[in-house]
Amino acid sequence: MGMVKFYKGGDMPLELHKVRVVQKLHLVPVERRLDAMKEAGFNTFRLGTKDVYLDMLTDSGTNAMSDNQLAAMMHADDAYAGSQSFERLQKAVEDVLGKKYLLPVHQGRAAENVICRTFVKPGNVIPMNYHFTTVLAHVTENGGKIEELLHDHAFQLKSDHPFKGNMDIDKLEKCIQENGVENIPFIRMEASTNLIGGQPFSLANLMDVRRIADKYGIMLVLDASLIGENAYLIKQREENWKENSMGEILKMMTGLADLVYFSARKLSSSRGGGICTNQKALYAKMEAMIPLYEGFLTYGGISVREIEAMAVGLRETLDESMICQSPSYIKYLVEELEKRGIPMVTPPGVLGAHVNAMEFCKHIPQEEYPAGALAAAFYICSGIRGMERGTMSSVRDEEGKEILADVELLRLAVPRRVFTLSQINYVIDRMTWLWDNRHLIGGLKFTYEPPVLRFFMGGLEPTSDWPSKLMDKFRKDFGDSL
C-alpha cells in the first residue's frame, strides 16, 4: 500500500490524500543560502524557515494533520481540570495502545524527564536497543548510564537485515548479570531506533526482551513515538504477522511493555505526548510529577485543542493507508539515491532517508563532524534543511575529548503527507550534484559549544574556505538557476 507500479517507470509512491490547504515556500538564491548558513553558525537547527525550501530537519511536529483532526480541535473543552477533551484522549489511548492510565505531558522528552526522575538513581544502568539524544541526557542527569545492546550487524549501514533495531538478547543477559538486577530499574526499547537510521525491531525480538524482563523481574519501558511505522514494517517484513491488522500489531507491541511513553509530535501528527500503563502503582509513582513539571493531570501542558487532535491522530494510526505514506516515500528516495551510487542506510527505515556521511565525506575526520558538514553543504546547494546525526549529536567525555559516534548520518526527514513527488525528485537531483562534487566539502569546528545537547544550539565555522568554493562550483554548473 502506498507504492504503485507504473506502466513505464517501476514502483513509485502514490499520494493517498489530496491537498486542500497550501503554505508558501521560499527557494532563495545560492548566495543568500551561503550567507544564511554563516549566520546560523553552520548549524541547520539555527536556520530560519524564510531561507529554507524543504524542511527535512525532523518529522517531530511537522507531520500534516488530517481534516478530521482539525475539525476535532473546534470542539475542545478548555477547562483547566476535568476536561472532556482529556477523557476523549484517555479513551483513544486505551483503545489504540491498550493502556488505562494516562499521564499527559507536553512532548516526548518531558515524558523522559518524568520517568527518569521517578525511576533512575545514581549508579543505575539502563539497557536499551539504542539511545536517543534526550533520553541519554535525562538518564545521565539523574546519575545513571546507558548500555546500548544492538546486534553488531546494526552498524553495517548497507545491508538487507529487516530489523536492525533488535536488541541482542545475549548482551542483555550479560548486562543484567554484570550490573545486578537491583541496579537496573528498567529496560528501554525504542520504536524505531532514531540515531541509526530509523531502523525497526521485530515483534519476535520484543517478545524475547519481555521474556528476559520477566525472568529477572525488571520493568520494560517502550518509547512508542514511532510505533506506527514500526508496526507497519513488522506487517511488511515479519512473516508471522503479515495477516494481522495494524491495530492488532500495535496492541501486541504495547501489551508487552509495562510502561509506554510517546511524543504525539511523531505518533499522532499533533503536539504533546503521554505516559501510559495498566499498573496503578506505576501511575501513582509518577502522578505528582505532572502538576510539578507539566500542568494539571488532565492537560499536562498541552493545549486542549491539541489534545483533541491527539485523540483523533491516535485512531488514525490504525489506518495503514495513512501510516504507509512516510515509509513509502523514504523507500523511493533511498532507492533512487542508491541507484546513483550515493551511500545510504539500507534497508530504508522510518522517519527519513539517511545518507552515510562517513562514506560520502570520507576525506573529513570524524573530529571535524562530516555529517554536520554534509548537512551544511547540502543546504547551500539546495535550500533543503536536513539534520546531522553523528558526532555533533554526541558528547565529550569528562576530560573534554570527543566521544565519536558509531555512525555519521545526514538525516533527511520525510514527514507524513507533506512533500510531493516532484519535491522528492528535487532532493534526489541536488544530492546527486553534491555527490559528484563531494571533494569540495570540508570540515567544521565549534565556536560555541553548549554543555548539554550541543547540536541544538551550538555554533560552528568551516575549517577552510570550502563553502565559498562549493557555491562557486554551483554557480558555474547552474548559472542563475536556484
Side-chain angles (χ1 to χ4, degrees):
M1 191 173 291
M3 296 293 287
V4 173
K5 288 190 180 298
F6 279 66
Y7 177 51
K8 293 183 179 181
D11 293 350
M12 283 198 286
L14 189 68
E15 293 88 346
L16 297 172
H17 58 272
K18 62 181 179 180
V19 178
R20 297 180 67 188
V21 176
V22 297
Q23 186 174 28
K24 183 175 175 58
L25 295 175
H26 308 275
L27 182 54
V28 298
V30 65
E31 292 86 356
R32 172 57 201 157
R33 298 197 296 257
L34 177 57
D35 287 343
M37 196 77 267
K38 290 176 180 177
E39 292 164 12
F42 287 84
N43 182 349
T44 56
F45 267 99
R46 292 169 45 169
L47 287 166
T49 53
K50 67 182 183 300
D51 293 314
V52 172
Y53 172 51
L54 299 182
D55 197 350
M56 305 183 84
L57 185 79
T58 181
D59 65 337
S60 183
T62 63
N63 293 300
M65 287 204 288
S66 70
D67 51 354
N68 289 324
Q69 285 181 288
L70 292 171
M73 294 173 80
M74 294 299 103
H75 62 83
D77 174 9
D78 60 0
Y80 183 93
S83 169
Q84 295 173 61
S85 295
F86 177 76
E87 291 173 3
R88 286 188 277 272
L89 174 61
Q90 193 171 36
K91 185 66 167 63
V93 167
E94 186 170 2
D95 290 348
V96 177
L97 302 180
K99 302 299 184 187
K100 291 188 297 183
Y101 303 110
L102 171 66
L103 294 168
V105 293
H106 76 270
Q107 65 182 91
R109 74 195 56 169
E112 293 166 353
N113 177 50
V114 170
I115 292 168
C116 289
R117 281 181 177 272
T118 303
F119 297 106
V120 178
K121 303 294 184 288
N124 282 173
V125 174
I126 313 299
M128 54 184 70
N129 52 348
Y130 205 68
H131 80 278
F132 184 61
T133 50
T134 55
V135 78
L136 171 61
H138 284 301
V139 169
T140 305
E141 182 75 13
N142 286 280
K145 67 175 185 177
I146 66 168
E147 289 284 346
E148 295 167 329
L149 305 177
L150 289 169
H151 290 270
D152 294 343
H153 63 67
F155 301 107
Q156 296 171 8
L157 298 186
K158 185 177 176 60
S159 80
D160 58 3
H161 195 288
F163 296 108
K164 292 197 287 190
N166 282 353
M167 182 176 282
D168 187 315
I169 301 303
D170 292 336
K171 289 180 182 178
L172 177 59
E173 285 253 25
K174 184 179 178 183
C175 175
I176 295 169
Q177 290 166 4
E178 288 180 349
N179 291 286
V181 172
E182 68 280 6
N183 293 315
I184 299 178
F186 59 86
I187 300 165
R188 174 184 173 272
M189 286 290 284
E190 182 180 322
S192 303
T193 47
N194 190 311
L195 295 185
I196 62 160
Q199 297 297 305
F201 58 73
S202 69
L203 190 48
N205 183 250
L206 188 61
M207 290 175 175
D208 286 341
V209 175
R210 175 77 257 180
R211 175 175 54 81
I212 298 300
D214 287 340
K215 176 179 176 180
Y216 292 99
I218 300 173
M219 181 169 66
L220 177 56
V221 174
L222 175 63
D223 178 345
S225 298
L226 285 165
I227 195 172
E229 283 82 357
N230 200 126
Y232 173 76
L233 291 182
I234 285 173
K235 184 172 172 59
Q236 297 293 307
R237 299 176 182 178
E238 197 167 1
E239 192 61 40
N240 288 345
W241 315 109
K242 286 183 181 292
E243 302 304 317
N244 290 85
S245 69
M246 284 286 293
E248 290 168 338
I249 295 170
L250 281 167
K251 282 263 187 83
M252 284 187 280
M253 294 173 77
T254 57
L256 292 166
D258 298 291
L259 200 66
V260 174
Y261 76 90
F262 60 90
S263 169
R265 295 172 69 84
K266 294 180 181 290
L267 177 60
S268 65
S269 303
S270 59
R271 307 295 186 273
I275 308 168
C276 53
T277 181
N278 281 331
Q279 299 179 39
K280 187 64 182 291
L282 290 180
Y283 172 91
K285 286 182 178 180
M286 296 178 287
E287 183 183 42
M289 293 279 188
I290 303 304
L292 182 61
Y293 290 106
E294 297 298 304
F296 193 66
L297 290 166
T298 53
Y299 80 92
I302 319 167
S303 155
V304 287
R305 290 162 181 77
E306 294 289 359
I307 285 174
E308 293 284 3
M310 284 173 66
V312 174
L314 270 171
R315 296 188 187 281
E316 290 181 346
T317 303
L318 305 178
D319 181 356
E320 188 179 339
S321 70
M322 185 278 286
I323 211 74
C324 76
Q325 289 290 278
S326 179
S328 62
Y329 265 69
I330 292 166
K331 182 175 185 290
Y332 174 79
L333 178 53
V334 168
E335 290 177 352
E336 289 301 311
L337 289 172
E338 268 213 302
K339 287 177 186 176
R340 292 156 174 80
I342 296 166
M344 304 297 296
V345 174
T346 60
V350 307
L351 197 158
H354 292 77
V355 185
N356 180 357
M358 198 97 80
E359 181 65 24
F360 200 112
C361 301
K362 57 186 175 183
H363 56 287
I364 301 175
Q366 257 192 290
E367 291 83 358
E368 295 183 9
Y369 315 117
L374 180 56
F378 189 52
Y379 169 75
I380 292 168
C381 75
S382 67
I384 299 168
R385 173 163 67 168
M387 184 193 289
E388 183 272 358
R389 299 276 71 168
T391 298
M392 256 179 71
S393 296
S394 185
V395 296
R396 295 184 186 271
D397 63 21
E398 293 177 355
E399 297 177 355
K401 185 178 179 181
E402 288 283 6
I403 298 177
L404 300 179
D406 294 312
V407 294
E408 295 284 342
L409 305 177
L410 167 60
R411 185 179 79 191
L412 300 174
V414 183
R416 296 179 199 144
R417 301 179 294 193
V418 171
F419 301 130
T420 66
L421 194 57
S422 67
Q423 290 169 333
I424 295 296
N425 285 330
Y426 174 78
V427 176
I428 294 165
D429 179 81
R430 290 303 189 259
M431 185 62 76
T432 302
W433 179 86
L434 188 58
W435 171 248
D436 290 341
N437 292 278
R438 59 193 180 277
H439 61 282
L440 295 174
I441 307 172
L444 298 173
K445 60 183 179 181
F446 272 103
T447 57
Y448 165 59
E449 186 172 350
V452 179
L453 298 174
R454 61 183 182 175
F455 64 92
F456 279 132
M457 301 164 288
L460 302 99
E461 65 181 12
T463 55
S464 67
D465 193 29
W466 65 262
S468 296
K469 294 176 181 176
L470 186 75
M471 183 192 71
D472 291 343
K473 183 63 163 67
F474 181 89
R475 287 298 308 273
K476 180 180 178 182
D477 289 351
F478 289 96
D480 292 330
S481 172
L482 299 177

